[in-house]
Amino acid sequence: MHGPGLWKGTDLMAEFDFEKQLTVTETGIPGLKVVELSVHGDNRGWFKENWQREKMVAAGIPDLRFVQNNISFNDNRGVTRGIHAEPWDKFISVATGSVFGAWVDLRPGAGFGKVFTCTLDPSRAIFVPRGVGNSYQALEDGTAYTYLVDAHWSLELKKTYTFVNLADPELAIQWPIPLEECELSEADKAHPMLADALPMAPRRTLVTGCNGQLGHAVRALAEERGLAGSFDYCDIDTFDMSDPAAYSHYDWSLYGTVINCGAYTAVDRAETPEGRVTAWKANATGPALLARTCAEHGITLVHVSSDYVFDGTVEVHGEGEPFSPLSVYGQTKAAGDIAVAGCPRHYIMRSSWVIGEGHNFVKTMKALSDRAADPEDKLEKVTVVDDQLGRLTFTRDMAAAIFHVLDTQAPYGTYDCTGSGAVRSWADIARAVFEAANGNGDKVVPVSTADYYASAAGPIAPRPVHSALDLSKLESAGFHMPDWEEELGEYLKTLV
């Protein structure tokens, strides 16, 4: 041992401590974390666990899937590189020698331009989040600087780099070796000053099933919040999730989030031979392939589930209730949920009785109410099921809940997501629509599900009796779904 707990291999090599406890320290730049490593040594040299996933994650480093390991060898003391912000997270350490590092937050927001500096040696590493500019100065000859990254290098990603000048007086970095005495590349010398530097654009969001009711609501909310430029949209015509070959058409390293609004929702047609195949492809195979892709690329996946994964015997369903689907549609949705749950970064938003743009129950009831109010129309009554109980869910509220869990980085998992308020039957809702539209709620006649479908042609899927969902988990994450009856009143005002 070269001194008690201390290593000094050569005259050029900086001293560092042995046997430190693994610790992670915040730096003042969000996500940038200094890591003290435990190095073990004797007269032969030293050994360290440079990256140990279980220990590192427990200490506070994000659980990343690193896919590339790079080493930058620096022949001479004074070699200086940077400042580069790249579109990936990285874990930086030193194999031999030591560096003075400087990091600058180049992400958009109030922290833009904030600086942190420290020295790295074999016993100290740093985790650098995407968008934080990185630079270092070799303090010794023969310094080997190594870093793990969670995305493969590509020309497309290189186009998204952003830079700032090492010598910018606004940053006021106190380089141990004056830059005029250092070796710099011509490219690094030409980087812009902070005042002219471009913030690192966030990873993009891909919305699948964009032409459905929820897809429209997500797009509208993104545009309302000024996020349209960072969102991409696709539907079944441009991206068939159930086709493995379709995934090669996307550079997945550009995306940080996928919001899957695509689904097969024709509950009764799913009971037919043709519909059964389509439902399984859209609701199970597609989400399974999407989940695997998101897991491979460290992407957060948001997926929409349904109350049909349950048999409806429980009056209010919680997120932890075992699956018990009654229908083919419910079975495919349950299979999709199971597949998505295998993606490390996932949110499953479970809903029921969804109302959005396009054809829906409320619009149908409003049209029937108008007919019943027309003296020239012979419509005298409308039969509506009275033994299925739940709450309406408006897609604009679902979209807001999705944005909330993403924005607040709520714990991953499943969240029930329906309108709040009283539990009613479909007949109750129909009666409310008739009353609000034309004051003719007495035209709605409640019937049982069995009677309603008694004369139906073709297969009819069994429905859960109870579709109400427990909203306490979503509320504990800081989001409160609006009362569906109040939302219904506002929605009816938009229907002409």
Side-chain angles (χ1 to χ4, degrees), residues 33-117:
K33 302 171 186 284
V34 172
V35 184
E36 302 293 344
L37 300 172
S38 183
V39 182
H40 314 285
D42 56 25
N43 60 322
R44 299 168 298 174
W46 54 261
F47 168 84
K48 65 172 176 173
E49 291 179 340
N50 199 53
W51 170 256
Q52 210 274 15
R53 176 176 174 267
E54 184 176 6
K55 294 178 183 177
M56 299 290 188
V57 171
I61 300 298
D63 190 4
L64 301 174
R65 179 181 178 270
F66 291 120
V67 298
Q68 190 167 323
N69 184 20
N70 303 322
I71 299 175
S72 173
F73 184 77
N74 304 273
D75 275 330
N76 302 317
R77 177 179 182 273
V79 169
T80 305
R81 305 174 189 263
I83 302 170
H84 314 143
E86 296 144 343
W88 44 62
D89 297 321
K90 54 189 172 184
F91 183 83
I92 298 171
S93 58
V94 173
T96 61
S98 59
V99 303
F100 173 84
W103 295 271
V104 182
D105 196 343
L106 294 178
R107 298 168 295 190
F112 184 78
K114 188 168 185 177
V115 178
F116 174 80
T117 64

Side-chain angles (χ1 to χ4, degrees), residues 145-167:
Y145 171 99
T146 178
Y147 50 106
L148 298 164
V149 295
D150 66 345
H152 292 108
W153 184 93
S154 71
L155 186 59
E156 201 63 30
L157 280 180
K158 186 177 181 181
K159 297 174 184 177
T160 68
Y161 290 12
T162 190
F163 311 93
V164 67
N165 200 286
L166 293 156

Side-chain angles (χ1 to χ4, degrees), residues 312-462:
T313 57
V314 176
E315 290 189 5
V316 179
H317 305 286
E319 289 85 356
E321 182 179 335
F323 293 143
S324 53
L326 298 170
S327 63
V328 171
Y329 169 73
Q331 291 163 9
T332 65
K333 293 299 291 183
D337 286 9
I338 292 169
V340 169
C343 178
R345 302 179 181 184
H346 75 271
Y347 295 104
I348 296 173
M349 309 299 287
R350 180 166 296 131
S351 194
S352 66
W353 297 16
V354 176
I355 304 296
E357 291 185 19
H359 177 74
N360 63 58
F361 178 79
V362 172
K363 284 185 178 180
T364 300
M365 291 302 107
K366 171 65 166 58
L368 290 173
S369 173
D370 292 343
R371 285 184 56 193
D374 183 351
E376 297 184 4
D377 197 303
K378 302 302 182 181
L379 183 66
E380 296 183 357
K381 66 177 182 177
V382 175
T383 58
V384 184
V385 170
D386 196 38
D387 56 2
Q388 295 174 30
L389 305 172
R391 307 185 189 102
L392 293 183
T393 312
F394 289 88
T395 53
R396 59 175 175 257
D397 300 327
M398 286 185 67
I402 289 169
F403 278 53
H404 176 82
V405 297
L406 290 170
D407 291 344
T408 61
Q409 298 182 354
Y412 296 121
T414 300
Y415 290 83
D416 287 341
C417 180
T418 67
S420 63
V423 175
R424 305 292 190 195
S425 70
W426 285 116
D428 292 332
I429 296 168
R431 191 177 297 109
V433 173
F434 272 63
E435 282 295 329
N438 295 294
N440 54 358
D442 58 326
K443 299 288 186 179
V444 175
V445 177
V447 297
S448 69
T449 299
D451 288 343
Y452 184 84
Y453 289 111
S455 60
I460 299 298

Side-chain angles (χ1 to χ4, degrees), residues 141-207:
D141 293 347
T143 292
Y145 171 99
T146 178
Y147 50 106
L148 298 164
V149 295
D150 66 345
H152 292 108
W153 184 93
S154 71
L155 186 59
E156 201 63 30
L157 280 180
K158 186 177 181 181
K159 297 174 184 177
T160 68
Y161 290 12
T162 190
F163 311 93
V164 67
N165 200 286
L166 293 156
D168 188 346
E170 186 175 350
L171 299 178
I173 298 171
Q174 301 300 305
W175 297 103
I177 305 168
L179 291 178
E180 56 269 21
E181 300 175 16
C182 295
E183 297 180 54
L184 281 71
S185 72
E186 292 303 313
D188 285 352
K189 292 177 184 177
H191 291 329
M193 299 300 172
L194 184 65
D196 299 315
L198 296 174
M200 170 66 71
R203 282 193 174 104
R204 302 187 66 75
T205 296
L206 179 65
V207 180

